[in-house]
Amino acid sequence: MDAKDILAALQDEMGQEALFQKADAVRAKHCGNVAQLRGVVHFSNYCCRDDLYCGLRKSNPDITRFRMTGDQIVDTALAIAEAGLGTVVLQSGEDSHYTRQMLCSIIRRIVAQADVAVTLSLGERPIDDLRAFRDAGATRYLMKHETMNPDLYARMRPGLRLVDRIRTIETLRELGYQTGVGNVVGLPGQTDADLAADIVFFQDFQPDMVNIGPFIPHADTPLRHEATGDMDRMLRVFALARIVTQNTHLAAANTVATLDPDNGQYRAFVQGGANVIMPNCNPFLKSKTDKIEYEFQITTKKRYVSVDEAREVLRRAGRDAAPGRGDSLKMRGEYHD
């Protein structure tokens, strides 16, 4: 699809049901009727960045900060594996407290004790760190590009440039990571043309995974009074992302459940072409008395879906959880019934 066709489809509210049906058909053909269930460990909410839309921003004095120890992270990851999930996602703010050596040790301990894939979502790190994490056993990295409009990107992320973000994303692929990207739908000042540019990027880059989420204003950020992203508009972005990438893993994020707790993720599966769900697994610790109290509120009152809730979403959508690690379909060819 070219940018003009993508923009027309984004703006065609009357034709969205046909778009959703096409996305679901593409998903069925290229990804099958199974879904990837991936357990997320939010291990730190400290962050050196000051993104206007994010509750973790360093200028937010009202958030209760936390950091998990290495042992707590490993124990949580091993509990995810014991629950039958094939992927562990280690996610944090951009927190330099966790050195290269610390993170490599955590990764090595996880892959030595469990047959799981390790995905990292740590923000931008030096290339030597990224290479070391890959050598330690991490095989995937999720780094959302947020928006392909460089001016909007710079406005939303003070002091940062889109060109640097894209360069890091390209470096991740060069280092051999299965590379995930993603955008935010509904950012203040964002246009349909901006969203079309995001979808063109998905089409050109052909990422291994895409994570799309809505803008939801956080009460402790400068954007607290801005309007929330629109569900149908976001689902049209989902559907077009599926159509142009075909067999890319497409995640129904927890922010989608925050926007519509009852049906958001379900609609992302049956209308938007999603095939990945990533429940929060922070409570999964071997010691029942060693529960991590955490606040990873990128958006206000973000809803974190449990493993049981995620399985219920899949049941409603008529999907079974896929066995194994769920590696990139880009790397092992298309799915065939």
Side-chain angles (χ1 to χ4, degrees):
M1 298 178 72
D2 62 23
K4 183 178 178 180
D5 291 337
I6 289 169
L7 181 59
L10 273 174
Q11 296 176 331
D12 184 11
E13 296 181 27
M14 298 300 293
Q16 71 176 20
E17 289 306 319
L19 179 70
F20 294 159
Q21 290 173 11
K22 182 175 180 180
D24 191 53
V26 172
R27 183 273 313 159
K29 177 180 179 180
H30 294 283
C31 305
N33 288 312
V34 294
Q36 304 298 324
L37 191 62
R38 300 177 173 181
V40 183
V41 185
H42 299 108
F43 65 88
S44 168
N45 66 355
Y46 283 83
C47 191
C48 67
R49 304 302 187 189
D50 222 10
D51 300 354
L52 298 188
Y53 51 83
C54 183
L56 307 191
R57 65 195 310 262
K58 67 180 181 181
S59 295
N60 180 6
D62 297 320
I63 187 173
T64 300
R65 304 284 179 177
F66 77 95
R67 289 186 176 114
M68 291 173 68
T69 67
D71 285 346
Q72 290 169 333
I73 297 169
V74 172
D75 283 349
T76 307
L78 296 180
I80 290 170
E82 290 171 5
L85 280 65
T87 296
V88 171
V89 182
L90 303 183
Q91 185 172 44
S92 71
E94 294 200 22
D95 186 0
S96 61
H97 167 80
Y98 296 91
T99 64
R100 182 193 310 169
Q101 182 179 9
M102 290 170 64
L103 289 166
C104 284
S105 174
I106 290 166
I107 295 164
R108 289 192 188 99
R109 290 171 63 190
I110 293 169
V111 299
Q113 299 178 71
D115 182 18
V116 292
V118 174
T119 299
L120 303 178
S121 182
L122 313 176
E124 296 179 40
R125 304 277 303 206
I127 187 171
D128 287 344
D129 285 10
L130 299 175
R131 183 180 292 109
F133 302 155
R134 182 69 184 88
D135 292 343
T139 56
R140 306 173 191 160
Y141 207 108
L142 172 61
M143 182 174 288
K144 295 177 70 170
H145 68 277
E146 314 295 3
T147 174
M148 285 301 289
N149 180 328
D151 295 330
L152 181 61
Y153 184 95
R155 189 159 68 247
M156 293 293 107
R157 308 196 71 209
L160 301 177
R161 302 187 308 165
L162 177 62
V163 64
D164 297 323
R165 187 72 160 190
I166 298 301
R167 184 179 299 116
T168 303
I169 289 170
E170 291 170 345
T171 297
L172 290 167
R173 174 165 283 178
E174 292 167 1
L175 290 172
Y177 283 101
Q178 297 174 38
T179 305
V181 298
N183 65 336
V184 182
V185 179
L187 288 170
Q190 185 182 61
T191 67
D192 286 338
D194 295 333
L195 291 172
D198 291 331
I199 296 162
V200 170
F201 172 61
F202 297 150
Q203 181 170 250
D204 293 345
F205 187 70
Q206 290 295 316
D208 298 285
M209 191 178 89
V210 169
N211 187 313
I212 297 167
F215 169 73
I216 301 175
H218 191 291
D220 298 325
T221 69
L223 304 182
R224 63 180 68 88
H225 299 304
E226 298 290 343
T228 300
D230 177 76
M231 173 63 78
D232 283 348
R233 187 177 186 226
M234 182 192 65
L235 286 173
R236 292 196 293 274
V237 175
F238 261 90
L240 286 161
R242 168 57 69 206
I243 290 165
V244 302
T245 63
Q246 297 190 337
N247 63 352
T248 288
H249 289 313
L250 179 57
N254 285 312
T255 48
V256 177
T258 306
L259 185 60
D260 182 350
D262 294 327
N263 294 306
Q265 290 178 307
Y266 167 76
R267 291 185 67 191
F269 272 93
V270 300
Q271 296 177 315
N275 73 317
V276 173
I277 192 165
M278 300 193 292
N280 165 55
C281 296
N282 274 49
F284 277 46
L285 291 173
K286 289 184 177 179
S287 170
K288 299 301 183 182
T289 62
D290 190 23
K291 182 178 178 181
I292 300 299
E293 298 296 338
Y294 66 94
E295 184 176 353
F296 202 79
Q297 296 293 321
I298 295 173
T299 63
T300 299
K301 297 180 180 179
K302 182 174 178 180
R303 187 171 186 274
Y304 286 100
V305 176
S306 70
V307 173
D308 287 344
E309 290 171 323
R311 291 189 188 279
E312 175 60 18
V313 171
L314 299 188
R315 186 199 64 77
R316 286 183 63 199
R319 313 287 166 78
D320 293 322
R325 299 176 177 224
D327 280 314
S328 173
L329 296 171
K330 301 290 185 188
M331 299 180 66
R332 57 187 176 86
E334 295 181 352
Y335 177 95
H336 296 283
D337 287 320

Short mmCIF file of all heavy atoms in Angstrom, two decimals, residues 1 16-28 239 242-243 271:
data_model
loop_
_atom_site.label_atom_id
_atom_site.label_comp_id
_atom_site.label_asym_id
_atom_site.label_seq_id
_atom_site.Cartn_x
_atom_site.Cartn_y
_atom_site.Cartn_z
N MET A 1 0.84 -1.19 0.00
CA MET A 1 0.00 0.00 0.00
C MET A 1 0.88 1.25 0.00
O MET A 1 1.92 1.28 0.68
CB MET A 1 -0.90 0.04 1.23
CG MET A 1 -1.89 -1.12 1.35
SD MET A 1 -2.91 -1.07 2.85
CE MET A 1 -4.00 0.31 2.46
N GLN A 16 -14.62 0.86 7.93
CA GLN A 16 -13.67 0.20 8.84
C GLN A 16 -14.01 -1.27 9.07
O GLN A 16 -13.10 -2.07 9.31
CB GLN A 16 -13.57 0.96 10.16
CG GLN A 16 -14.75 0.87 11.08
CD GLN A 16 -14.49 1.59 12.40
OE1 GLN A 16 -13.60 2.44 12.52
NE2 GLN A 16 -15.24 1.24 13.42
N GLU A 17 -15.27 -1.66 9.00
CA GLU A 17 -15.59 -3.07 9.22
C GLU A 17 -14.97 -3.95 8.13
O GLU A 17 -14.47 -5.04 8.42
CB GLU A 17 -17.10 -3.27 9.29
CG GLU A 17 -17.74 -2.72 10.56
CD GLU A 17 -17.09 -3.25 11.84
OE1 GLU A 17 -16.77 -4.46 11.88
OE2 GLU A 17 -16.89 -2.46 12.77
N ALA A 18 -14.98 -3.47 6.90
CA ALA A 18 -14.34 -4.22 5.82
C ALA A 18 -12.83 -4.28 6.05
O ALA A 18 -12.19 -5.30 5.77
CB ALA A 18 -14.65 -3.57 4.47
N LEU A 19 -12.26 -3.18 6.56
CA LEU A 19 -10.83 -3.16 6.88
C LEU A 19 -10.52 -4.17 7.97
O LEU A 19 -9.53 -4.92 7.88
CB LEU A 19 -10.43 -1.75 7.31
CG LEU A 19 -8.95 -1.55 7.70
CD1 LEU A 19 -8.06 -1.66 6.46
CD2 LEU A 19 -8.76 -0.20 8.38
N PHE A 20 -11.36 -4.22 9.01
CA PHE A 20 -11.14 -5.17 10.10
C PHE A 20 -11.23 -6.61 9.59
O PHE A 20 -10.43 -7.47 10.00
CB PHE A 20 -12.17 -4.94 11.20
CG PHE A 20 -12.07 -3.62 11.92
CD1 PHE A 20 -13.15 -3.11 12.61
CD2 PHE A 20 -10.88 -2.90 11.92
CE1 PHE A 20 -13.07 -1.90 13.28
CE2 PHE A 20 -10.78 -1.68 12.58
CZ PHE A 20 -11.88 -1.18 13.27
N GLN A 21 -12.17 -6.88 8.71
CA GLN A 21 -12.31 -8.23 8.17
C GLN A 21 -11.08 -8.63 7.36
O GLN A 21 -10.61 -9.77 7.44
CB GLN A 21 -13.57 -8.31 7.32
CG GLN A 21 -14.86 -8.23 8.11
CD GLN A 21 -16.10 -8.15 7.24
OE1 GLN A 21 -16.03 -8.35 6.03
NE2 GLN A 21 -17.24 -7.84 7.84
N LYS A 22 -10.55 -7.69 6.61
CA LYS A 22 -9.35 -7.99 5.83
C LYS A 22 -8.16 -8.26 6.74
O LYS A 22 -7.38 -9.20 6.51
CB LYS A 22 -9.04 -6.83 4.88
CG LYS A 22 -7.82 -7.09 4.00
CD LYS A 22 -7.60 -5.98 2.99
CE LYS A 22 -6.37 -6.27 2.11
NZ LYS A 22 -6.14 -5.20 1.11
N ALA A 23 -8.02 -7.44 7.80
CA ALA A 23 -6.91 -7.65 8.73
C ALA A 23 -7.00 -9.01 9.40
O ALA A 23 -5.98 -9.70 9.57
CB ALA A 23 -6.90 -6.54 9.79
N ASP A 24 -8.19 -9.42 9.76
CA ASP A 24 -8.37 -10.72 10.41
C ASP A 24 -8.04 -11.85 9.45
O ASP A 24 -7.45 -12.86 9.84
CB ASP A 24 -9.80 -10.84 10.93
CG ASP A 24 -9.96 -12.04 11.84
OD1 ASP A 24 -9.19 -12.17 12.81
OD2 ASP A 24 -10.86 -12.87 11.59
N ALA A 25 -8.41 -11.67 8.18
CA ALA A 25 -8.10 -12.70 7.18
C ALA A 25 -6.59 -12.80 6.96
O ALA A 25 -6.04 -13.91 6.84
CB ALA A 25 -8.80 -12.38 5.87
N VAL A 26 -5.90 -11.67 6.93
CA VAL A 26 -4.43 -11.67 6.77
C VAL A 26 -3.79 -12.34 7.98
O VAL A 26 -2.86 -13.14 7.84
CB VAL A 26 -3.91 -10.24 6.58
CG1 VAL A 26 -2.38 -10.20 6.61
CG2 VAL A 26 -4.41 -9.66 5.25
N ARG A 27 -4.29 -12.02 9.16
CA ARG A 27 -3.76 -12.65 10.38
C ARG A 27 -3.94 -14.16 10.33
O ARG A 27 -3.01 -14.92 10.63
CB ARG A 27 -4.49 -12.04 11.59
CG ARG A 27 -4.02 -12.52 12.96
CD ARG A 27 -4.71 -13.77 13.43
NE ARG A 27 -6.14 -13.70 13.27
CZ ARG A 27 -6.93 -14.77 13.22
NH1 ARG A 27 -6.43 -16.00 13.29
NH2 ARG A 27 -8.25 -14.65 13.05
N ALA A 28 -5.12 -14.62 9.94
CA ALA A 28 -5.37 -16.06 9.90
C ALA A 28 -4.46 -16.76 8.90
O ALA A 28 -3.93 -17.84 9.16
CB ALA A 28 -6.84 -16.32 9.55
N ALA A 239 -5.23 -2.63 12.22
CA ALA A 239 -5.60 -3.40 11.05
C ALA A 239 -4.66 -3.14 9.89
O ALA A 239 -4.23 -4.08 9.19
CB ALA A 239 -7.04 -3.08 10.66
N ARG A 242 -1.32 -4.81 10.43
CA ARG A 242 -1.37 -6.23 10.10
C ARG A 242 -1.33 -6.45 8.59
O ARG A 242 -0.61 -7.32 8.10
CB ARG A 242 -2.65 -6.86 10.69
CG ARG A 242 -2.98 -8.25 10.19
CD ARG A 242 -1.83 -9.24 10.42
NE ARG A 242 -1.65 -9.52 11.83
CZ ARG A 242 -0.49 -9.91 12.35
NH1 ARG A 242 0.60 -10.02 11.58
NH2 ARG A 242 -0.37 -10.16 13.64
N ILE A 243 -2.09 -5.67 7.85
CA ILE A 243 -2.17 -5.86 6.40
C ILE A 243 -0.83 -5.62 5.73
O ILE A 243 -0.42 -6.38 4.84
CB ILE A 243 -3.27 -4.95 5.82
CG1 ILE A 243 -4.66 -5.45 6.27
CG2 ILE A 243 -3.19 -4.88 4.30
CD1 ILE A 243 -5.77 -4.45 6.05
N GLN A 271 -10.57 -7.77 15.43
CA GLN A 271 -10.72 -6.73 14.41
C GLN A 271 -9.38 -6.17 13.94
O GLN A 271 -9.23 -5.84 12.77
CB GLN A 271 -11.58 -5.58 14.95
CG GLN A 271 -13.01 -6.00 15.26
CD GLN A 271 -13.83 -4.87 15.87
OE1 GLN A 271 -13.36 -4.16 16.75
NE2 GLN A 271 -15.06 -4.69 15.39
#
